[in-house]
Amino acid sequence: MQKDKILLVVPDGVGIRNYLYSKVFDEVQDLVIFHNLGTEVLDYLKHYKNISNTISIPDYKESIKEKYLRELICLSRLYYNAKKVNNKTILTNWVWNQKTFIKKIFYKWIEIQSRFYTSYDAILQLEIKYQKAIRKNFFYKDIVSLLLKEKPKSIICTHQRGLKMATIFAAAHDLGIPTTTVIYSWDNLPKARLALRANKYLVWSDHMKKEMSIYYPEIHNDDIIVTGTPQFEFYQDKNNIIDKKFFFETYNLNENKKIICYSGDDITTCPDDPKYLEDITEEISKAGLENEYQILLRRCPTDISGRFEDVRKKYPDLIKEVTPKWNFNTDSSWTTIYPTFDDVKLLVSTVFYSDIVINLGSTMAFDFAILKKPCVFINYDQAYKLNKNWSAKTIYGFQHFRSMPSNEAVIWLNDKSEIIDKLINYKLHENQIAMQDWKRIVIADYSKSSALINTALNI
């Protein structure tokens, strides 16, 4: 067993699922959670994973100078990235319309200043200024004192954009403590939110490693390590599949009907999710196929808006919901929202028992591809959109969709009138070769991810 102390920072619930519920740290005896998590989260982890050693991250207040430099770096990089790969959708990652007067002034000034930082050398100069600024914050001194006291062998963060992590990693660097960060998801790199600087960067695939070199050429290639991501390893363990009878009875499903999984996005990504779900139910009902098909709704775990309730009540016999097993506290802040391990089994079982998934550009396409099941991408706008500035066409213009080797990787739903043909009368074999190629590009060899991460971390 690994006896050296490792500080693990888990900023969000997905990090808990992917790294604490997987096998990544099973051989670490002295694993310390460095956190701002709620008490309920910590109690659950102590019970489930036998993690008793935790340290709270000190309070942090970002100075105006830090915030100014951080946001200026972000916008300057977005402009640079958009030009470098010729993709203007990258600029949608900046919030152009601020609500309060003070924010409008602040961010307008950043937008003006970004015009003077168009070269990459200029951006790197901003990065140097930012690194100096974060070291002048009292938070930096608190972290240095804490690290000197704890003497960890290394520090690992499961998300590259955590605000506090830039300073924590800076303090670790100055003390000679090795640091590692995970690039959180397949769409993160073009967004210019690599807040911290680490000794090692763990990425999903060779494709992601190439992206890292494109957007951050100053990072040495040897410091970018392809490990895969452990979130897909759960599909390899048959113990994660809930008994069929229990699963179907629990969620009021009919064993004689095929299951269409509707995978919801968050409200920002797909504000019209409920309307798309209603389109599907309407078309199935009009075609008289209620006795052959049922829809299993899995909303985004952090979507507690209740926005699907009206359509669920309208079609109670057709829509069944498998509610994600995430725990929420009353304030529903990011420090209190986390998945239980039961949700891992619930997700694996949802994919296992479903015949097809439909969503708007979600990573769930890869979850289903692992079990060689097809995915339908919604590719049309509603006549009356909840957000007039939103469009499915914009979503699929995002840079990470350029990794798709062929449009045949998924089934494209281009209009409501195509629902029966595309969702019901699909032919599985037509899209699986292209989908498997895309899966290999994006998530690579997920089957060895935990072992590869442990090797990278010298565990």
Side-chain angles (χ1 to χ4, degrees), residues 296-332:
L296 188 57
L297 168 64
R298 179 179 167 93
R299 54 179 168 77
C300 174
T302 56
D303 180 5
I304 54 174
S305 63
R307 61 189 180 133
F308 291 102
E309 287 308 301
D310 288 344
V311 66
R312 284 185 65 235
K313 290 177 181 178
K314 189 175 179 180
Y315 296 95
D317 296 328
L318 191 52
I319 301 174
K320 311 298 179 182
E321 182 173 10
V322 53
T323 304
K325 291 185 177 292
W326 285 52
N327 282 4
F328 295 83
N329 229 337
T330 52
D331 62 356
S332 292

Side-chain angles (χ1 to χ4, degrees), residues 44-68:
Y44 182 83
L45 292 176
K46 289 175 184 177
H47 171 73
Y48 172 75
K49 199 73 175 181
N50 196 29
I51 294 173
S52 57
N53 199 351
T54 64
I55 300 173
S56 296
I57 298 175
D59 291 336
Y60 168 65
K61 185 176 181 180
E62 186 178 34
S63 69
I64 295 296
K65 185 175 182 179
E66 288 173 87
K67 184 177 179 65
Y68 166 73

